Amino acid sequence: MKFHEEINRRRTFGIISHPDAGKTTLTEKLLLFGGAIQEAGAVKSNKIKKGATSDFMEIERQRGISVATSVLAFEYDGYKINILDTPGHKDFAEDTFRTLTAVDSVIVVIDVAKGVEEQTEKLVEVCRMRNIPMIVFINKLDREGKDAFDLLDEIEQKLNLKVVPLSFPIGMGYDFKGIYNIWEKNINLFSGDSRKNIEETIEIKDLSSVELDKLVGEKSANTLREEVELVQGIYPEFNKEAYLNGEQQPVFFGSALNNFGVRELLDCFVAIAPKPRPKKSEERLVNPDEDKFSGFVFKIHANMDPNHRDRLAFIKIVSGKFERNTPYLHVRNNKKLKFSSPNAFFAEKKEIVDVSYPGDIVGLHDTGNFKIGDTLTEGEELHYKGIPSFSPEHFRYINNADPMKSKQLAKGIDQLMDEGVAQLFTLELNGRKVIGTVGALQYEVIQYRLEHEYGAKCSYENLNVHKACWVQPTDPKNAEFKDFKNVKQRYLAKDKKGQLVFLADSPFSLQMTKDKYSTIKFHYTSEYS
C-alpha cells in the first residue's frame, strides 16, 4: 500500500518561461511555502550577495540567469514536490527540451507587461507535442502591464492554448488591490509588503455582498463583479480531465517577487497536477506502479563540487523503487552497477537517500559510465525515447590555447559534451574538433568552465556552417553513398556517438545535396525513427 501512496503524493514539474519573466523568483517562493528555505534572495538585487538558491554556477551569479537545470524538492501539505528549474536563457534551450522529458507537468510563467515572448512559444510547443499538462502563471501584477483579457487572448492565440482563469486580478500596477481566487472563492488583498511571508485571505462566497465594497472600494468591487461575470461567460468551466490531457490550461495571476498569488497557485497545483505518468519506451509503455525499477538519465552535471572532480547523472525514476546499494542493469553497456550514495536534492544541498519512488529525481555519482538518454532497469532491456540532439545554430572550431594542457582540455571537452552543454563534431578529413551550440553564450560558459574546472584554456575560430544533418546509415557499397562521401569529404564529421553528420555551409548547398543524392536521408535531429 505504501508504494502506491508514495506515487500518488509525488508531483514532478518544470517551470518554463522567457528570461526575466520571474521563473527563478517563483521557484524560490514555492520553496519558501514548503519551508525549504527561510529567506528568499532577490535574484536581481545586488545588495543581497546570497543570490538565488537555485542558481549555483558562478557565471549564473554574475549574469543573474539560470544556466544549469537544478532539481529542488520539498514537502508541502502531505505532497512531495520535485521542481526541475530550467534555464530561461534561449541559448540553453536544448537543456530545457531535455528536462521536459523528465517532468509530468509544467508551469508557464508570463510577464504581465511583455506578454507572450518567443522563448515561451518554443517551449510551449514542445509541451504541446507531448501533451504535457500546463498551468499558466501571469507574473508581476504589481507593475503596469497589459489588460488581463488582452493577455488571455494573446496566450490563446500565440500559444494555441485553451485557457481557464482560476483567479483574477483586482486592478493592476498602481491600482493593484489584490486577487480574487475563483478556484477557492476568496480574496487575497495586496499590501505591497514583500516581507510578509504569507498574505491573509478573506473568504468571499458571494461577489455581490457589501463586504467586497468595504474591502476594495466600490469602484474596484463593481469592476471585479463585471469582469468575473465576463470570465464565467467567455471561458469554459475548469475540467480536470481536459487539463490532464493537455486540452485545457488553468491561469493564475500574481506577483512572485511580492510572494503574492503563489500560495493559490501551489494549492491548486497539488490538487490537480498529475502524479507520475506512464512513459513510452521503444519496447512498451511503462507504468509507474510496476514492481520493477526503471529510470533514465536526462541530465549530467560535472563538477557540482569544484574540490572534487565529480559528475552527477540525474535519473528520473519511471517505475518501481530505486534502492541504495542494489545492483541495476545499465542497458547500453549491459553491465550491473550499484550506487552507495544516491543523492536527493535541495539546490546546493544534497542528501543521501535509501529509497526513491517514481517521479523522484536521483543524482548518481558517475565516473563516466553514463550518457544522456541511458536507461537503468532491474534487468529488462528498455530504451526510453525522446531525448534527441537538435541541429545546433552556431559552429566554431575549438583550439587548444595551452599546449601543455592538451590532456585536461580533451577531458574537459569530453565531460562537458556528456553533460549536453553543446555538441562535439570531429571532422573526418583532418580530425579537427568543432563545437556546435544552440546559442552563442554557450561558448563563454564552455571557456569559463574549461578554465575554472579543468585548468585548460581554449580559443575559438569561426566556421561557416548552416546546419548539421545526421546522415542515416546506408549500405557502404551503395554507389551514390560512396560518391557523396568523396565529393562532400570536407563537410563530413562524426558526432560523439560516431554517427555520420553532414555540415552544410548554406541552405542552397543543403538543398542541392539532397536533390543530387536522393536515396540518402538527412535528419535535423540525432534521434530519428
Side-chain angles (χ1 to χ4, degrees):
M1 186 58 206
K2 178 162 191 282
F3 177 54
H4 288 95
E5 274 172 23
E6 288 294 346
I7 296 178
N8 290 339
R9 69 184 206 94
R10 294 289 189 281
R11 300 284 182 271
T12 303
F13 71 102
I15 301 183
I16 58 174
S17 77
H18 196 81
D20 277 350
K23 178 171 58 60
T24 306
T25 314
L26 176 62
T27 307
E28 288 222 317
K29 294 302 158 78
L30 293 171
L31 293 174
L32 205 57
F33 279 107
I37 51 176
Q38 262 46 66
E39 184 189 346
V43 189
K44 280 282 187 305
S45 155
N46 293 326
K47 293 195 289 287
I48 302 176
K49 279 287 177 271
K50 292 217 315 266
T53 314
S54 60
D55 287 1
F56 56 77
M57 219 163 79
E58 188 55 35
I59 208 158
E60 304 183 334
R61 291 207 176 103
Q62 291 169 3
R63 298 246 179 166
I65 54 171
S66 306
V67 175
T69 313
S70 41
V71 181
L72 308 149
F74 64 95
E75 294 272 338
Y76 179 78
D77 211 10
Y79 291 92
K80 162 91 190 289
I81 296 177
N82 299 307
I83 306 181
L84 274 62
D85 183 30
T86 57
H89 201 284
K90 72 169 187 295
D91 285 8
F92 301 91
E94 200 166 320
D95 203 15
T96 307
F97 292 147
R98 279 197 295 266
T99 302
L100 290 176
T101 61
V103 301
D104 297 308
S105 66
V106 154
I107 291 180
V108 185
V109 183
I110 288 174
D111 182 321
V112 71
K114 295 178 183 153
V116 174
E117 296 172 89
E118 136 208 51
Q119 181 67 359
T120 322
E121 290 185 51
K122 269 194 194 145
L123 294 168
V124 166
E125 200 176 317
V126 175
C127 296
R128 273 213 331 272
M129 271 161 42
R130 301 206 167 106
N131 290 333
I132 299 175
M134 287 179 259
I135 292 180
V136 179
F137 182 69
I138 295 177
N139 192 17
K140 304 189 183 180
L141 277 206
D142 50 322
R143 302 190 183 174
E144 295 300 317
K146 300 185 178 186
D147 172 77
F149 286 106
D150 290 349
L151 263 174
L152 292 167
D153 283 352
E154 190 178 322
I155 292 167
E156 289 214 313
Q157 284 159 10
K158 280 196 177 170
L159 300 179
N160 201 2
L161 301 180
K162 293 256 181 303
V163 300
V164 183
L166 292 186
S167 76
F168 210 79
I170 307 167
M172 193 175 290
Y174 297 117
D175 305 330
F176 183 48
K177 298 273 196 323
I179 284 170
Y180 175 62
N181 186 342
I182 300 172
W183 171 254
E184 291 176 13
K185 300 222 173 352
N186 60 29
I187 271 185
N188 194 347
L189 293 178
F190 181 63
S191 66
D193 181 359
S194 61
R195 287 188 301 270
K196 279 174 74 174
N197 275 358
I198 293 164
E199 302 285 337
E200 293 301 307
T201 50
I202 298 147
E203 200 170 328
I204 291 220
K205 289 284 183 219
D206 180 11
L207 278 183
S208 56
S209 76
V210 190
E211 184 72 3
L212 183 62
D213 299 339
K214 287 182 195 155
L215 288 172
V216 298
E218 198 179 328
K219 187 174 170 225
S220 296
N222 285 335
T223 309
L224 178 68
R225 289 179 186 121
E226 284 165 21
E227 292 185 329
V228 170
E229 198 179 317
L230 251 177
V231 165
Q232 287 161 346
I234 301 174
Y235 298 102
E237 274 203 11
F238 173 67
N239 175 325
K240 191 173 168 181
E241 266 320 286
Y243 154 71
L244 290 173
N245 293 333
E247 293 155 6
Q248 195 189 68
Q249 289 76 26
V251 179
F252 283 87
F253 290 84
S255 160
L257 192 62
N258 288 303
N259 207 357
F260 196 79
V262 178
R263 187 192 62 77
E264 288 76 357
L265 172 72
L266 187 55
D267 285 348
C268 175
F269 173 80
V270 293
I272 67 170
K275 59 186 188 196
R277 305 165 81 198
K279 187 157 178 72
K280 234 186 164 78
S281 70
E282 284 175 24
E283 291 76 11
R284 62 187 186 85
L285 187 68
V286 180
N287 284 301
D289 54 8
E290 293 180 17
D291 295 341
K292 298 248 191 285
F293 159 77
S294 72
F296 66 95
V297 178
F298 68 93
K299 176 182 174 57
I300 291 170
H301 202 320
N303 307 321
M304 297 280 282
D305 176 352
N307 304 323
H308 302 282
R309 289 271 168 268
D310 64 342
R311 288 168 30 137
L312 271 183
F314 290 78
I315 299 229
K316 160 81 185 273
I317 297 170
V318 179
S319 65
K321 275 195 293 202
F322 176 88
E323 295 183 283
R324 181 179 164 191
N325 284 326
T326 305
Y328 292 117
L329 175 70
H330 181 317
V331 175
R332 180 175 54 83
N333 287 348
N334 195 22
K335 67 176 183 190
K336 288 274 176 98
L337 300 172
K338 68 178 184 183
F339 306 92
S340 57
S341 54
N343 289 130
F345 298 94
F346 163 69
E348 288 181 52
K349 302 184 193 73
K350 306 194 293 262
E351 53 192 51
I352 290 174
V353 283
D354 290 321
V355 183
S356 297
Y357 295 91
D360 284 341
I361 309 293
V362 179
L364 302 179
H365 288 278
D366 174 36
T367 50
N369 292 312
F370 287 118
K371 290 184 175 174
I372 285 172
D374 279 353
T375 310
L376 274 182
T377 69
E378 274 188 43
E380 187 180 352
E381 291 244 340
L382 289 174
H383 298 84
Y384 286 110
K385 287 183 76 81
I387 308 197
S389 295
F390 298 85
S391 174
E393 310 278 317
H394 304 265
F395 298 84
R396 291 182 192 172
Y397 286 120
I398 181 163
N399 299 322
N400 186 0
D402 180 355
M404 304 296 287
K405 297 282 176 73
S406 54
K407 220 168 158 182
Q408 286 91 324
L409 182 72
K411 184 184 176 190
I413 291 175
D414 209 44
Q415 294 207 345
L416 292 179
M417 298 307 131
D418 273 353
E419 236 184 90
V421 172
Q423 292 177 59
L424 181 70
F425 302 103
T426 308
L427 291 182
E428 293 269 79
L429 193 62
N430 54 16
R432 282 195 77 179
K433 300 210 178 318
V434 172
I435 285 188
T437 67
V438 174
L441 184 58
Q442 289 280 39
Y443 290 110
E444 250 183 81
V445 171
I446 292 167
Q447 207 163 20
Y448 181 91
R449 290 188 60 186
L450 284 172
E451 190 173 338
H452 289 82
E453 293 171 19
Y454 298 93
K457 285 192 161 78
C458 72
S459 63
Y460 298 114
E461 228 178 286
N462 276 337
L463 174 65
N464 180 28
V465 174
H466 159 65
K467 269 267 187 282
C469 295
W470 280 266
V471 181
Q472 196 162 325
T474 314
D475 178 8
K477 296 193 185 77
N478 174 338
E480 193 171 290
F481 187 59
K482 272 184 170 167
D483 184 49
F484 164 72
K485 285 190 76 169
N486 275 335
V487 174
K488 295 293 179 188
Q489 197 180 6
R490 342 192 338 232
Y491 302 103
L492 294 181
K494 288 268 170 69
D495 71 2
K496 205 163 188 304
K497 290 182 185 159
Q499 290 170 286
L500 187 65
V501 179
F502 170 50
L503 303 174
D505 57 354
S506 70
F508 176 69
S509 78
L510 177 59
Q511 195 52 53
M512 292 287 286
T513 308
K514 282 180 170 175
D515 294 346
K516 184 175 176 188
Y517 303 106
S518 55
T519 62
I520 299 174
K521 290 197 167 67
F522 298 95
H523 301 273
Y524 291 134
T525 65
S526 63
E527 198 175 86
Y528 41 80
S529 44

